Amino acid sequence: MQKQIIGLFLFTFLLAGCNGEVDQSDQDLMNQNVEAFLMLEDSIQVNTAIEDTVYLDNLNEMIAQTEKNLNLIGMDLDTLSKMIDAAAYHKLALEGESVNAGIFSKNKWKDSLQNREIQLLQLQLQQARLKDQENQFKQTNRVLFRLKRSVWANVAGFHVRAEYTVNKDTITMGLLLDANFNVVD
């Protein structure tokens, strides 16, 4: 009976060891995911190292700050849109008055129109810059919410340094990985 139990135990142990599933270490999983993200050849080895950990409470603070910045930019864009409208209407009024102006005052109107055009273009440039900044904050928010979906044991993600060599050149880069060691793009 005791031999049968030992035999059954050995059989179960061998069967469990031969099922083809090998637990992969976190380091191997990081390396594999970074290699796949970078679409590197199988012959290129990637070495990764965690440089920083993003915890849930820090992530929540970053999300709150990003949303606050988005609200502030939204208000600035609204104000700027009103300023652009006012400047455009003022420029149109000047154009209408310059048509009716006499020959000697044409240069005065021309200077005023050019100044209004410059002011309008500066406001539009500022608006374009704010829209670009708004898009950057939206992208940041998207990345942060992706990290929030993968939180595990209060860890939201990792900043990882990845190094690999191609044609005798060593390339080093920083990547953001979620708590499951998937690269966040």
Side-chain angles (χ1 to χ4, degrees), residues 47-51 159-163 172-175:
N47 297 317
T48 58
I50 295 175
E51 292 190 332
H159 178 256
V160 174
R161 185 187 77 248
E163 287 184 350
T172 304
M173 64 177 50
L175 295 168

Side-chain angles (χ1 to χ4, degrees), residues 162-184:
E163 287 184 350
Y164 59 97
T165 304
V166 177
N167 298 331
K168 298 182 183 178
D169 293 327
T170 301
I171 299 170
T172 304
M173 64 177 50
L175 295 168
L176 181 63
L177 275 62
D178 65 12
N180 299 316
F181 301 111
N182 295 314
V183 178
V184 178

Side-chain angles (χ1 to χ4, degrees), residues 93-163:
L94 284 176
E95 286 174 352
E97 290 177 24
S98 71
V99 170
N100 299 330
I103 296 172
F104 297 109
S105 61
K106 287 269 185 193
N107 286 337
K108 177 184 169 187
W109 288 108
K110 187 177 178 181
D111 288 343
S112 293
L113 279 171
Q114 286 177 342
N115 287 339
R116 276 294 164 188
E117 182 69 25
I118 290 170
Q119 181 186 16
L120 183 61
L121 290 173
Q122 286 173 336
L123 290 172
Q124 289 172 336
L125 179 61
Q126 189 175 358
Q127 183 183 42
R129 287 179 178 157
L130 274 175
K131 284 184 178 180
D132 182 53
Q133 201 172 21
E134 179 184 43
N135 288 334
Q136 290 175 7
F137 278 120
K138 285 180 180 178
Q139 176 68 9
T140 299
N141 216 16
R142 183 186 70 80
V143 168
L144 294 176
F145 276 110
R146 173 147 181 223
L147 287 177
K148 191 165 186 170
R149 287 191 303 269
S150 74
V151 171
W152 184 81
N154 200 33
V155 173
F158 307 96
H159 178 256
V160 174
R161 185 187 77 248
E163 287 184 350

Side-chain angles (χ1 to χ4, degrees), residues 40-97:
L40 298 174
E41 298 174 11
D42 292 339
S43 61
I44 298 175
Q45 292 291 332
V46 174
N47 297 317
T48 58
I50 295 175
E51 292 190 332
D52 195 15
T53 303
V54 179
Y55 294 100
L56 182 59
D57 52 343
N58 295 343
L59 180 66
N60 288 332
E61 290 173 13
M62 288 187 277
I63 289 172
Q65 185 63 48
T66 303
E67 288 176 351
K68 179 181 175 184
N69 290 343
L70 280 169
N71 287 335
L72 291 173
I73 286 175
M75 288 187 284
D76 287 349
L77 283 171
D78 288 344
T79 303
L80 210 51
S81 292
K82 290 177 183 173
M83 291 171 66
I84 288 170
D85 288 346
Y89 284 126
H90 192 264
K91 181 181 168 255
L92 284 173
L94 284 176
E95 286 174 352
E97 290 177 24

